[in-house]
């Protein structure tokens, strides 16, 4: 079996991170840990954490660092992650979180931190063109619409633009990402962990580039 990997995936929203994380997770046989998905699941299931997170998000506030760190620490303490590794997606977001992660992983340090690089103008265009099925959440875009009108190929639901995908909201999210992530990227670069990978091209090409970069890091 392929060796596992312990890595963090960074990149702007719309850079193709989600797709690539799923592919890398299959290749290395490690879990793809998306903190966004974990939070949404907790909210859906109504766990203590979910209730707290839902309350904060409803008030327009971010889930505080100590809560996020606690969630990640617990997840990284599971059998699958301690034995084979993980792909962390959505965490860390700040230098404080990165510092906490370094402490959590001190006995099994990260192999690599990947910055999947796609220019801001490109992701803006991609996100603005994004459309989603309101019923089954299947993804489409203005370039790849459903076969018949804006009706979902899978379930016949209405395919729409997400409310938070307006140009102004997208700009705001990207600006937030920029201001928070720039110091984080510098922090990992100083520690020799950062690998910038070009996110342009066909999905397969990008996956190949990622595998090459990660395998070099581990050798
Ligand atoms: Zn659908």
């Amino acid at each position: 079996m392929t060796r596992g990997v312990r890595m963090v995936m960074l990149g702007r929203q719309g850079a193709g991170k989600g797709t690539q994380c799923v592919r890398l997770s299959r290749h290395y046989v490690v879990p793809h840990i998306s903190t966004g998905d974990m939070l949404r699941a907790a909210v859906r299931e109504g766990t203590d954490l979910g209730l707290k997170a839902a309350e904060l998000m409803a008030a327009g506030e971010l889930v505080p660092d100590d809560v996020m760190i606690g969630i990640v620490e617990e997840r990284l303490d599971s059998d699958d992650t301690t034995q084979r590794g993980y792909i962390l997606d959505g965490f860390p977001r700040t230098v404080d979180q990165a510092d906490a992660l370094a402490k959590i992983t001190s006995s099994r340090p990260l192999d690599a931190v990947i910055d999947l690089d796609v220019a801001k103008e490109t992701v803006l265009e991609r996100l603005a063109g994004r459309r989603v099925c309101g019923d089954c959440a299947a993804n489409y875009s203005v370039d790849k619409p459903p076969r018949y009108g804006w009706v979902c190929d899978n379930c016949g639901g209405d395919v729409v633009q997400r409310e938070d995908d307006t140009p102004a909201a997208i700009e705001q999210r990207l600006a937030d990402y920029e201001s928070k992530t720039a110091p984080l990227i510098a922090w990992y670069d100083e520690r020799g962990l950062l690998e910038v990978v070009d996110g342009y091209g066909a999905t397969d090409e990008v996956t190949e580039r990622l595998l090459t970069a990660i395998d070099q890091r581990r050798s």
Side-chain angles (χ1 to χ4, degrees):
M1 203 197 244
T2 330
R3 255 176 71 195
V5 69
R6 292 184 295 271
M7 60 169 280
V8 167
M9 181 73 104
L10 302 174
R12 296 189 174 88
Q13 196 188 14
K17 250 185 335 162
T19 307
Q20 295 298 340
C21 281
V22 170
R23 288 173 155 226
L24 294 177
S25 130
R26 285 197 196 122
H27 179 88
Y28 292 111
V29 199
V30 294
H32 167 209
I33 302 175
S34 156
T35 46
D37 287 349
M38 285 173 77
L39 275 181
R40 280 186 288 272
V43 171
R44 250 195 332 269
E45 287 156 20
T47 62
D48 286 347
L49 164 74
L51 294 174
K52 195 169 167 188
E55 198 178 301
L56 288 165
M57 289 187 287
E61 282 172 48
L62 290 172
V63 178
D65 270 8
D66 60 329
V67 178
M68 287 312 302
I69 292 164
I71 295 170
V72 170
E73 181 164 24
E74 195 180 289
R75 184 63 187 87
L76 295 190
D77 200 28
S78 317
D79 284 345
D80 57 345
T81 50
T82 50
Q83 281 163 19
R84 292 205 50 87
Y86 47 83
I87 300 168
L88 258 182
D89 171 15
F91 184 96
R93 282 250 159 92
T94 61
V95 169
D96 283 348
Q97 291 183 354
D99 202 33
L101 181 63
K103 289 189 182 101
I104 294 169
T105 59
S106 59
S107 60
R108 295 186 192 84
L110 291 171
D111 295 309
V113 174
I114 302 282
D115 180 19
L116 188 60
D117 190 36
V118 172
K120 190 178 163 190
E121 296 69 40
T122 311
V123 296
L124 248 176
E125 207 171 291
R126 283 187 196 168
L127 293 172
R130 195 158 71 157
R131 299 291 182 274
V132 63
C133 171
D135 291 336
C136 75
N139 287 302
Y140 299 93
S141 71
V142 286
D143 299 326
K144 274 189 202 157
R147 250 167 303 167
Y148 306 105
W150 290 102
V151 175
C152 180
D153 291 340
N154 298 339
C155 75
D158 283 340
V159 174
V160 295
Q161 183 164 38
R162 278 171 36 174
E163 261 175 53
D164 57 350
D165 274 352
T166 62
I170 295 168
E171 282 272 10
Q172 186 58 53
R173 287 206 301 273
L174 288 175
D176 286 350
Y177 176 81
E178 226 70 37
S179 64
K180 277 194 200 126
T181 313
L184 182 62
I185 286 177
W187 194 87
Y188 277 127
D189 199 18
E190 278 162 26
R191 282 154 185 80
L193 279 166
L194 186 74
E195 193 76 45
V196 180
V197 173
D198 178 2
Y200 283 94
T203 310
D204 283 348
E205 282 168 21
V206 177
T207 307
E208 277 308 311
R209 249 176 250 146
L210 285 164
L211 294 176
T212 306
I214 295 163
D215 288 346
Q216 268 169 6
R217 284 266 155 190
R218 293 182 318 159
S219 62

